Amino acid sequence: MAPVIASKSLTLSRDLPLDSGQALSDVQIAFETYGELADDRSNAILICHALTGDQYVASNHPITGKPGWWERMVGPGKVVDTNRFHVICANVIGSCMGSTGPASEAADGQPYAMRFPVITIRDMVRGLVGLLDELGIERLHTVIGGSMGGMQALSLAANWPERAARVLAIATTARHSAQNIAFHEVGRQAIMADLNWRGGDYYGAETAPDAGLAVARMAAHITYLSEEGLTEKFGRNLQDRDTKSFGFDADFQVESYLRYQGSGFTQRFDANSYLYITRAMDYFDLAEEHGGRLANAFAGSSARFCVISFDSDWLYPTAESRHIVHALNAAGAPVSFVELSAPFGHDSFLLDVPALDRVMKGFIDG
């Protein structure tokens, strides 16, 4: 993956303590902003990205040239209206789009690679809070996140309860299940089994573990979709042929689609970052962080919450959202909850679901 220069980046003025007991120095946070910050700094919205996302929420990606991953939601007059709000989206630590991660230089001038410390979702949020501190933003109007971004939003509400007035968590969970961990482990093993991984020391080499990373992406991408959506889009249709090849080319359209997804992913993402971020997600357990009871996590929060799930999402099903809502109720936190119907599976929060637009806009503007 080619190195990327973020359009905005700053170095945190203090060391970043980590849950592992280690600390990172001179942490770089890459970020994008949209809309003007009010004089009283009361109109800031933080959008937290998902596993394979980045800070380019509403601007073209510098590698792929594709529009921002939530451009349909963020902009003038849109659901997150940049005529009214100052929107911040930062690349999490451990990632590969400008923030400090495995590909970054360590103190010895060489890439961290697998010397990079294992991080958690809470560590990622520490980096985001550090960014807000550097920007002089004490309290967010809203923090928004889908999937892993929702984990970050919940973690911020639980561990920095005074930093956000509203929390919008979409298609997410308060802890990873055994099934979630299992799918991630398949992806990690695919990367580490690639001979070009070289124990993580592939930076500067002619080849990278692209084959392993592509397989990891293919396996994960299946979990982002629904059976209904796959059947409707592909069925058992053959790809560019009338009969089966009786070989191992991509006979079926769904095979070709997954190979395309895997190959494209290697152009914009780093394999070691994939290892670290999936591990952080697997370690995530908000109840465990707060004495084993999820309601304890939200006991000190004065924020208003909105939790949204999708009926076709089997990665983080509605039951996981209800678990969060019950904990918020037990903590006495004001919360609204809705399960939306959409055929797209977990990826529904990224796609055109008009009901999602209405719920989000009502919560943000209310």
Side-chain angles (χ1 to χ4, degrees):
M1 194 196 87
V4 174
I5 299 175
S7 56
K8 294 183 182 179
S9 182
L10 57 76
T11 303
L12 300 186
S13 56
R14 289 177 288 187
D15 287 355
L16 192 68
L18 305 175
D19 282 344
S20 66
Q22 300 185 62
L24 285 170
S25 301
D26 300 320
V27 173
Q28 293 280 327
I29 302 291
F31 64 103
E32 288 283 307
T33 61
Y34 311 85
E36 296 298 321
L37 183 62
D39 291 340
D40 63 0
R41 301 178 181 267
S42 64
N43 69 332
I45 290 180
L46 176 67
I47 295 179
C48 303
H49 70 72
L51 162 58
T52 63
D54 47 58
Q55 65 271 35
Y56 299 102
V57 63
S59 47
N60 290 346
H61 195 283
I63 295 176
T64 67
K66 292 181 178 180
W69 56 268
W70 230 10
E71 190 173 57
R72 61 173 294 273
M73 283 287 189
V74 179
K78 296 183 180 181
V79 173
V80 185
D81 188 354
T82 53
N83 287 331
R84 293 184 55 201
F85 299 108
H86 178 67
V87 177
I88 306 161
C89 187
N91 192 217
V92 298
I93 62 166
S95 193
C96 51
M97 292 298 293
S99 291
T100 297
S104 303
E105 285 189 3
D108 61 2
Q110 299 300 312
Y112 278 103
M114 298 306 287
R115 296 180 298 163
F116 193 74
V118 171
I119 56 173
T120 66
I121 296 295
R122 183 161 54 183
D123 292 334
M124 294 176 182
V125 179
R126 285 192 181 99
L128 297 177
V129 171
L131 171 65
L132 296 176
D133 288 343
E134 299 289 344
L135 297 176
I137 297 171
E138 296 183 0
R139 187 170 174 84
L140 295 164
H141 179 281
T142 310
V143 58
I144 305 172
S147 191
M148 188 186 84
M151 298 178 190
Q152 295 168 66
L154 293 173
S155 180
L156 186 143
N159 296 294
W160 293 269
E162 74 287 351
R163 301 304 292 255
R166 295 171 180 81
V167 180
L168 180 50
I170 311 167
T172 194
T173 182
R175 85 284 188 268
H176 253 199
S177 68
Q179 179 175 262
N180 297 147
I181 297 169
F183 274 108
H184 275 173
E185 177 63 3
V186 169
R188 287 191 292 265
Q189 288 299 318
I191 290 169
M192 292 188 286
D194 189 321
L195 294 179
N196 290 324
W197 183 58
R198 301 182 183 89
D201 292 323
Y202 54 84
Y203 301 113
E206 293 184 2
T207 55
D210 288 347
L213 180 59
V215 172
R217 174 62 170 177
M218 289 167 68
H221 196 71
I222 295 169
T223 71
Y224 305 151
L225 309 174
S226 69
E227 182 178 7
E228 176 188 355
L230 280 171
T231 300
E232 181 178 344
K233 188 171 185 178
F234 303 111
R236 290 181 53 83
N237 297 329
L238 298 178
Q239 176 72 25
D240 299 329
R241 65 193 71 203
D242 297 322
T243 60
K244 301 180 182 70
S245 69
F246 289 91
F248 295 97
D249 289 335
D251 276 9
F252 296 98
Q253 288 181 3
V254 69
E255 293 174 320
S256 178
Y257 170 75
L258 288 175
R259 293 185 186 190
Y260 171 80
Q261 289 291 328
S263 175
F265 186 60
T266 64
Q267 305 305 308
R268 68 175 181 87
F269 214 82
D270 177 54
N272 283 343
S273 283
Y274 195 87
L275 298 179
Y276 277 90
I277 296 175
T278 57
R279 177 53 92 198
M281 295 175 72
D282 291 346
Y283 278 174
F284 185 61
D285 186 337
L286 206 51
E288 183 182 68
E289 294 177 7
H290 295 84
R293 185 169 181 265
L294 186 56
N296 292 346
F298 306 114
S301 178
S302 61
R304 292 170 48 206
F305 290 79
C306 180
V307 179
I308 302 173
S309 69
F310 297 95
D311 59 1
S312 58
D313 185 352
W314 60 274
L315 182 64
Y316 302 139
T318 294
E320 296 295 331
S321 289
R322 286 201 179 100
H323 184 55
I324 297 166
V325 172
H326 292 159
L328 287 164
N329 286 333
V335 56
S336 55
F337 166 62
V338 61
E339 179 190 49
L340 300 178
S341 182
F344 310 118
H346 181 64
D347 268 355
S348 294
F349 77 99
L350 296 171
L351 302 174
D352 186 11
V353 180
L356 174 63
D357 299 18
R358 292 192 295 271
V359 173
M360 284 184 59
K361 186 168 181 58
F363 180 71
I364 295 168
D365 294 348

